[in-house]
C-alpha cells in the first residue's frame, strides 16, 4: 500500500492505524483534507479512512472501503488529529475550530457509530464498553461521567496534583487507562504511572518512571502487555518496568509496539528511529537488547502481522504489512 500520490498542500501526510472488529483485523490508512472544493468554493473538511483487511495479500492492495468522517479542524488543531483503536473499536479524535475536543467511534464496515459531544468538549474522550472515559484538562480530572472518578482510585503512595493546570491523564490502549501521579522518592517527587481498567477505573498496578507518553500508548494484541513511552506493564504479573536511562543504561527505550508473548520493539529516542538505533525488550523481564543499526521495528502489531512505516521513494509513506506467523 502506498500513499505518495496524495497532495501535500491540502492533505495532512497520511498515517496508519490498526483496528479489530468482530474478530477480524484491519489496517486503516487515513488523511485529513477537503472534499468538493475548487479555486472559488471552499470544500468540506473530512478525515478519509481507507480500510484494508489485514489478511489481504499483494503489493498494491485496493481498500475494501473508503469512509469520510466530517470534521472542523483549526489550523493549530490539525496537529491533534488522531485515529486509533484503543481497545474497543476505531476512533477519530480532533480539536475543532472553537477549540472543543471531539471524537467519533467508527464501524470500519459501515461508518460513524457514536459521537462524543458535550462530555468530550473540554477534554479527551475514549470509548469503552460502558461509555466514554473523559479527561478534563482544565480540572486535571479523569472520569466516566456518572460512573466513577479516577481520584477515588489513586495508587499507593501517590499524591494527586494540586494545581488546576496539571492533568493525570496519560492515555488509553487495549481497554486500559494510564494515569500520571506524583510520589515521594527520597527528598524529591517522582512521576508515578498507574494502570487502570478503563471501564471501571479500578487500579491494576503502578510504577515510578519519568517518561510516560500517551500519544504512543500501545498494547499487545492479546491485551496482556501495555506500554507508553518508557513505561511498560505486564498485567499477568501485575507489575511493570521502567525503561528510562539509568546507572546501568545510558539510553532509554521508547516502546513503539508489542507482540503477543511480550516482545516489545522500540527506539533509543522518541522518534520513529528510521535512521536511529532500535531495540527489543522482553517485557516478562524488562531486559532490552540492542538491534543491529538500521533495523526497522514494527510501528503497529496485530496477532499475525506487523505494520512497518517508512519513507517511500516517491516522497510519500510506504506501508508494509508483513506476516509474523
Amino acid at each position: 500500500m502506498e500513499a505518495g500520490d496524495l497532495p501535500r498542500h491540502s492533505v495532512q501526510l497520511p498515517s496508519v492505524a490498526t483496528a479489530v472488529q468482530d474478530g477480524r483485523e484491519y489496517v486503516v490508512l487515513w488523511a485529513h483534507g477537503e472534499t468538493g472544493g475548487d479555486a472559488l468554493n471552499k470544500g468540506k473538511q473530512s478525515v478519509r479512512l481507507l480500510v484494508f483487511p489485514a489478511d489481504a495479500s499483494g503489493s498494491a492492495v485496493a481498500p475494501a472501503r473508503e469512509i469520510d468522517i466530517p470534521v472542523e479542524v483549526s489550523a493549530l488543531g490539525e496537529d491533534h488529529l488522531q485515529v486509533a483503536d484503543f481497545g474497543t473499536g476505531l476512533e477519530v479524535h480532533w480539536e475543532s475550530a472553537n477549540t472543543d475536543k471531539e471524537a467519533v467511534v467508527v464501524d470500519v464496515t459501515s461508518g460513524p457509530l457514536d459521537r462524543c459531544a458535550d462530555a468530550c468538549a473540554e477534554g479527551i474522550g475514549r470509548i469503552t464498553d460502558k461509555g466514554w472515559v473523559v479527561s478534563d484538562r482544565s480540572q486535571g480530572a479523569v472520569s466516566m461521567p456518572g460512573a466513577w472518578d479516577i481520584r477515588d482510585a489513586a495508587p499507593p503512595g501517590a499524591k494527586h496534583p494540586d494545581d488546576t493546570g496539571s492533568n493525570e491523564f496519560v492515555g488509553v490502549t487495549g481497554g486500559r487507562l494510564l494515569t500520571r501521579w506524583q510520589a515521594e522518592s527520597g527528598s524529591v517527587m517522582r512521576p508515578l504511572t498507574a494502570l487502570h481498567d478503563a471501564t471501571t477505573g479500578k487500579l491494576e498496578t503502578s510504577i515510578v518512571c519519568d517518561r510516560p507518553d500517551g500519544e504512543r500508548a500501545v498494547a499487545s494484541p492479546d491485551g496482556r502487555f501495555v506500554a507508553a513511552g518508557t513505561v511498560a506493564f505486564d498485567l499477568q504479573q501485575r507489575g511493570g518496568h521502567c525503561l528510562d536511562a539509568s546507572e546501568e543504561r545510558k539510553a532509554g527505550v521508547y516502546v513503539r509496539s508489542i507482540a503477543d508473548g511480550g516482545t516489545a520493539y522500540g527506539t533509543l529516542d522518541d522518534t520513529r528511529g528510521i535512521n536511529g538505533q532500535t531495540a527489543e525488550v522482553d517485557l516478562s523481564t524488562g531486559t532490552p537488547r540492542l538491534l543491529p543499526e538500521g533495523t526497522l521495528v514494527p510501528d503497529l502489531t496485530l496477532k499475525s502481522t506487523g505494520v512497518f512505516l517508512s519513507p517511500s521513494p516517491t516522497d510519500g509513506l510506504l506501508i508494509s504489512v508483513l506476516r509474523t506467523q
Side-chain angles (χ1 to χ4, degrees), residues 9 34-43:
H9 66 277
E34 291 187 351
T35 58
D38 55 29
L40 178 63
N41 301 297
K42 288 185 177 180

Side-chain angles (χ1 to χ4, degrees), residues 18-64:
T18 56
V20 179
Q21 184 173 310
D22 300 327
R24 192 174 187 189
E25 298 175 329
Y26 297 89
V27 176
V28 181
L29 175 65
W30 65 271
H32 168 244
E34 291 187 351
T35 58
D38 55 29
L40 178 63
N41 301 297
K42 288 185 177 180
K44 293 184 178 181
Q45 288 190 54
S46 69
V47 171
R48 175 162 293 178
L49 310 175
L50 305 183
V51 181
F52 300 84
D55 57 4
S57 60
S59 60
V61 180

Side-chain angles (χ1 to χ4, degrees), residues 191-214:
L192 178 69
T193 302
L195 192 69
H196 310 257
D197 185 311
T199 61
T200 65
K202 180 181 176 182
L203 178 68
E204 305 263 14
T205 186
S206 62
I207 187 174
V208 172
C209 198
D210 284 335
R211 295 177 178 83
D213 183 354

Side-chain angles (χ1 to χ4, degrees), residues 101-116:
K101 308 294 190 300
E102 300 199 41
V104 63
V105 186
V106 180
D107 184 324
V108 294
T109 65
S110 60
L113 279 178
D114 183 26
R115 198 178 193 108
C116 184

Side-chain angles (χ1 to χ4, degrees), residues 11-317:
V11 178
Q12 186 187 52
L13 180 66
S15 192
V16 179
T18 56
V20 179
Q21 184 173 310
D22 300 327
R24 192 174 187 189
E25 298 175 329
Y26 297 89
V27 176
V28 181
L29 175 65
W30 65 271
H32 168 244
E34 291 187 351
T35 58
D38 55 29
L40 178 63
N41 301 297
K42 288 185 177 180
K44 293 184 178 181
Q45 288 190 54
S46 69
V47 171
R48 175 162 293 178
L49 310 175
L50 305 183
V51 181
F52 300 84
D55 57 4
S57 60
S59 60
V61 180
R65 62 195 53 82
E66 298 182 8
I67 301 171
D68 283 341
I69 308 297
V71 300
E72 291 184 15
V73 179
S74 66
L76 295 176
E78 188 173 64
D79 290 337
H80 301 289
L81 270 172
Q82 188 177 20
V83 178
D85 183 341
F86 300 99
T88 51
L90 192 70
E91 300 176 35
V92 179
H93 292 257
W94 69 96
E95 183 175 303
S96 67
N98 61 0
T99 70
D100 282 349
K101 308 294 190 300
E102 300 199 41
V104 63
V105 186
V106 180
D107 184 324
V108 294
T109 65
S110 60
L113 279 178
D114 183 26
R115 198 178 193 108
C116 184
D118 295 341
C120 294
E122 298 299 325
I124 301 170
R126 298 286 188 264
I127 193 66
T128 73
D129 293 336
K130 301 294 184 181
W132 288 91
V133 174
V134 179
S135 166
D136 185 342
R137 291 193 183 277
S138 66
Q139 299 297 320
V142 181
S143 67
M144 182 178 288
W148 53 261
D149 190 300
I150 205 64
R151 285 169 285 197
D152 298 325
K159 177 184 178 183
H160 185 274
D162 291 325
D163 59 291
T164 57
S166 64
N167 174 31
E168 69 268 28
F169 176 82
V170 175
V172 172
T173 186
R176 266 31 187 218
L177 166 69
L178 295 102
T179 59
R180 183 179 173 120
W181 308 71
Q182 296 291 320
E184 289 188 17
S185 178
S187 59
V188 299
M189 301 298 290
R190 292 283 307 278
L192 178 69
T193 302
L195 192 69
H196 310 257
D197 185 311
T199 61
T200 65
K202 180 181 176 182
L203 178 68
E204 305 263 14
T205 186
S206 62
I207 187 174
V208 172
C209 198
D210 284 335
R211 295 177 178 83
D213 183 354
E215 293 300 315
R216 292 181 179 151
V218 294
S220 59
D222 62 8
R224 173 180 168 179
F225 301 93
V226 174
T230 60
V231 182
F233 294 100
D234 181 341
L235 282 163
Q236 183 171 301
Q237 296 184 4
R238 297 291 176 185
H241 303 286
C242 182
L243 304 174
D244 281 347
S246 64
E247 292 182 358
E248 294 79 26
R249 284 195 300 267
K250 63 181 180 181
V253 178
Y254 294 78
V255 177
R256 299 201 62 85
S257 61
I258 312 172
D260 284 346
T263 300
Y265 302 95
T267 58
L268 300 196
D269 56 34
D270 59 357
T271 66
R272 182 173 291 162
I274 291 173
N275 297 312
Q277 201 75 53
T278 56
E280 65 177 27
V281 184
D282 180 351
L283 292 186
S284 64
T285 64
T287 303
R289 181 177 73 88
L290 195 64
L291 295 173
E293 188 171 350
T295 301
L296 291 179
V297 296
D299 288 79
L300 302 160
T301 53
L302 293 167
K303 284 190 178 296
S304 59
T305 55
V307 181
F308 296 78
L309 309 180
S310 56
S312 166
T314 55
D315 193 30
L317 186 67

